[in-house]
Amino acid sequence: VGCDRSKNLVDICGEKNFQAFVCDALSVPIRSGSCDACISIAVIHHFSTAERRLATICELARLLRPGGTALIYVWAMEQEYKKQKSKYLKEKNDSKDKEEKINIGRAQRRLSDQMPDSSSQDSARSDRLLNDLKDEDGAKPAADSRLPVHTNRTSFHSQDLLVPWHLKGGTKMKGESVDTLLFPAGSKEPQQLSPVFHRYYHVFCEGELEAACRSLDCVRVQKSYYDQGNWCVVLEKL
């Protein structure tokens, strides 16, 4: 059984005859102790505070029966580990990188107006979910909602950042990529850009995910390892 925050993705699962439903990783509508195993792939790194990330791991552990196991994958700050570049860095395409820098430059100018509202709405929703999980002092507000925008296929320079997502779609000519910038004759500036959205990420440093898991009394870390630019932990419910 799968679950996701996106209804559109869940609908795709339904079309393929997979069992899936919409929910939030902080509040999964499944009975406690009813799962033999749980998998969380590329989810926890989207939560914007340490409290929320830990609460997500707690919720994952709640679902497990005693002896049940969970596998967690999060994006790693270290995209080059033991002198080996991750698949993410190896797939770098210079022409796309130049294009993305243009997209990012324009996006950064727009973000200063967009980010405060979206950040406050996200904070309000998450705070309602975490009323019972806060410590005595409560979650600390972010000092500044403006975050660096990452250049795809490059190393990370900040743990908290926005990653561009280029929307695939729109009208294109035969053989032309949907991401291609359109330059009118005699113009040095692009006239049209594919829509670019930004997803928040907290990329994990070595040992960070494992330390969060070890802080819980209800689970035991069976294994912790690095896999192609991701930090991974296997947990066992006690």
Side-chain angles (χ1 to χ4, degrees):
V1 178
C3 57
D4 198 277
R5 198 70 167 80
S6 166
K7 181 182 182 299
N8 290 338
L9 291 178
V10 170
D11 287 344
I12 293 172
C13 292
E15 292 168 3
K16 297 178 180 291
N17 296 317
F18 295 126
Q19 297 183 68
F21 59 91
V22 177
C23 82
D24 193 296
L26 287 167
S27 182
V28 181
I30 293 179
R31 188 177 69 250
S32 299
S34 60
C35 297
D36 295 319
C38 294
I39 300 173
S40 174
I41 304 293
V43 174
I44 295 175
H45 56 215
H46 288 299
F47 287 90
S48 61
T49 67
E51 290 85 359
R52 293 177 195 174
R53 293 189 286 271
L54 184 59
T56 311
I57 300 172
C58 286
E59 182 69 354
L60 200 65
R62 179 188 68 79
L63 303 174
L64 294 171
R65 63 166 175 77
T69 55
L71 171 64
I72 301 173
Y73 264 62
V74 295
W75 216 354
M77 178 80 173
E78 301 85 354
Q79 288 298 305
E80 187 167 343
Y81 186 67
K82 295 184 177 178
K83 299 182 179 180
Q84 294 291 322
K85 289 185 177 181
S86 68
K87 184 179 179 182
Y88 176 72
L89 292 185
K90 288 179 180 178
E91 290 179 351
K92 179 177 180 180
N93 184 307
D94 288 337
S95 62
K96 286 188 177 181
D97 282 345
K98 290 177 183 177
E99 175 186 316
E100 283 192 356
K101 286 178 182 178
I102 297 173
N103 278 309
I104 290 168
R106 290 192 167 191
Q108 284 175 324
R109 290 194 290 271
R110 295 196 302 266
L111 279 173
S112 60
D113 294 329
Q114 295 175 357
M115 284 306 295
D117 289 339
S118 60
S119 177
S120 61
Q121 290 169 4
D122 173 69
S123 178
R125 284 194 296 268
S126 298
D127 288 345
R128 286 197 297 271
L129 288 169
L130 284 172
N131 281 338
D132 296 331
L133 293 169
K134 288 182 180 178
D135 56 25
E136 292 181 359
D137 296 327
K140 296 180 180 178
D144 189 352
S145 62
R146 296 176 186 176
L147 296 170
V149 178
H150 176 62
T151 300
N152 285 338
R153 307 296 174 187
T154 65
S155 297
F156 295 117
H157 301 291
S158 172
Q159 279 194 269
D160 297 281
L161 43 81
L162 298 173
V163 176
W165 175 269
H166 294 262
L167 183 66
K168 302 296 184 182
T171 305
K172 63 173 181 174
M173 298 179 67
K174 185 177 180 180
E176 180 185 51
S177 166
V178 294
D179 288 328
T180 300
L181 299 175
L182 303 180
F183 291 85
S187 172
K188 295 182 180 181
E189 287 296 322
Q191 199 172 46
Q192 179 179 338
L193 294 171
S194 298
V196 180
F197 297 91
H198 293 82
R199 296 179 295 174
Y200 169 83
Y201 281 83
H202 171 86
V203 290
F204 281 68
C205 289
E206 182 174 7
E208 184 179 353
L209 176 62
E210 183 178 354
C213 294
R214 290 189 184 280
S215 71
L216 303 178
D217 295 332
C218 60
V219 296
R220 177 176 68 88
V221 175
Q222 283 188 341
K223 187 179 181 182
S224 178
Y225 60 98
Y226 179 90
D227 180 26
Q228 284 297 333
N230 299 282
W231 287 114
C232 320
V233 166
V234 178
L235 300 176
E236 180 185 3
K237 179 70 171 288
L238 300 176

